[in-house]
Amino acid sequence: MQSETPITSPRHVAIIMDGNGRWANARGLPRTAGHRAGVERVREAVRTAAEAEIEYLTLFAFSSENWNRPEQEVSDLMGLLRFFIRRDLAELHRENVCIRVIGCRQTIQPDIRALLNEAEERTRGNTGITLVIAFNYGARDELVRAVRQIAEAVRSGDMDAASIDEAALASRVDTAGIPDPDLVIRTSGEQRLSNFLLWQAAYSEFVFLPCLWPDFDRAAFLEALAEYGRRDRRYGAVSAPDLAVGS
Ligand code: IPE
Ligand code: IPE
Ligand code: MG
């Protein structure tokens, strides 16, 4: 129901989908079962976001540090991404979802790279919500790649070091053209960024939820949006009601 959604929906919500392993552990299941259950929550999250008129939904699916997990778990996670794109791409396309992928594309398996490219190409012209999949993503890696591009532009004479500004970096990070996230949600009770969107989240609001990602349903999403609606974003300035006091 539209009326449950807050009036001031954020334009961009980014989610750190955490807690799949603990969800599985609590049920005496292997961690992969938790990842599988997590994948089943993605469609619902995209639908809820679209319904709440969110323009961009970023999902942290695999971090540049997740390669440190046991080989079998990494391979299961790769398999699940393949499964998700193959199964859900047509439906996401039908629902007018535009897919963007952020993260390092060079160091992933060629078939996964091809699938991600296909998802982006096929949905490029869609005008509904943009689903940003953060895969093999790490903010420090992203910033290093952006700085390297700037250094190359300066070396080749295309750019002057003195002209490097925030816009120069913003246009070279993976999220170029996408507004910064207004709200970052992390499930599982952990209260850290784990190398997610360090540049873009400079002024984001954060909502940390105790629920594990496979339990993150529409109601939990709407509650996080309601919490966002109660926040006062000041960007270093003074909010209007405070300015009015004593004037
Ligand atoms: C998030 O769940 C999924 C990925 C990081 C790929 P986890 O696998 O991190 O689950 P926990 O944190 O161990 O419970
Ligand atoms: C962050 O979760 C990465 C994703 C959700 C994809 P992790 O579970 O990898 O983060 P840490 O290791 O607890 O910081
Ligand atoms: Mg985790």
Side-chain angles (χ1 to χ4, degrees):
M1 272 180 300
Q2 200 65 38
S3 57
E4 283 176 52
T5 59
I7 301 152
T8 49
S9 268
R11 267 189 94 186
H12 182 176
V13 176
I15 308 183
I16 303 174
M17 308 185 287
D18 196 18
N20 295 349
R22 277 163 281 176
W23 184 92
N25 263 346
R27 286 161 181 76
L29 298 168
R31 291 178 59 83
T32 305
H35 296 314
R36 269 203 303 273
V39 169
E40 297 310 321
R41 284 295 180 193
V42 169
R43 259 191 292 191
E44 186 182 359
V46 176
R47 287 215 184 98
T48 306
E51 173 201 327
E53 293 179 359
I54 288 161
E55 294 171 52
Y56 299 86
L57 176 69
T58 298
L59 298 178
F60 202 4
F62 189 87
S63 81
S64 48
E65 287 71 36
N66 287 147
W67 296 105
N68 296 326
R69 295 189 177 203
E71 213 177 297
Q72 186 57 53
E73 182 168 347
V74 169
S75 143
D76 290 343
L77 285 165
M78 297 297 146
L80 276 170
L81 180 82
R82 289 187 185 96
F83 166 76
F84 170 73
I85 302 279
R86 289 195 188 119
R87 187 191 64 177
D88 290 353
L89 179 58
E91 190 175 328
L92 290 166
H93 184 43
R94 254 197 319 279
E95 290 177 5
N96 201 20
V97 176
C98 173
I99 296 176
R100 275 270 303 260
V101 180
I102 59 171
C104 181
R105 219 73 74 91
Q106 259 84 60
T107 50
I108 53 179
Q109 284 101 325
D111 75 301
I112 293 192
R113 195 182 310 139
L115 273 177
L116 294 174
N117 289 343
E118 185 198 338
E120 284 187 322
E121 275 157 31
R122 205 151 141 207
T123 63
R124 181 158 289 143
N126 289 349
T127 54
I129 188 170
T130 298
L131 171 63
V132 183
I133 302 173
F135 191 80
N136 193 22
Y137 175 86
R140 288 183 172 181
D141 170 68
E142 172 191 43
L143 289 168
V144 166
R145 286 185 283 108
V147 168
R148 203 176 286 142
Q149 278 184 45
I150 291 176
E152 273 160 16
V154 171
R155 190 184 50 186
S156 67
D158 289 343
M159 202 175 176
D160 185 9
S163 72
I164 298 169
D165 55 10
E166 292 186 11
L169 198 58
S171 66
R172 286 169 178 85
V173 287
D174 296 347
T175 52
I178 297 174
D180 288 341
D182 302 290
L183 169 63
V184 176
I185 299 170
R186 182 170 189 150
T187 58
S188 91
E190 306 299 348
Q191 302 190 8
R192 55 176 171 263
L193 270 179
S194 301
N195 202 13
F196 189 46
L197 301 177
L198 298 183
W199 169 264
Q200 298 86 342
Y203 268 104
S204 302
E205 294 297 325
F206 290 86
V207 171
F208 297 104
L209 299 174
C211 92
L212 304 172
W213 174 253
D215 294 326
F216 183 82
D217 59 8
R218 184 175 173 278
F221 200 162
L222 294 181
E223 184 41 47
L225 294 177
E227 169 60 29
Y228 171 83
R230 291 189 287 271
R231 301 281 174 90
D232 177 20
R233 302 184 75 189
R234 290 191 286 276
Y235 300 99
V238 181
S239 64
D242 288 348
L243 269 179
V245 173
S247 63

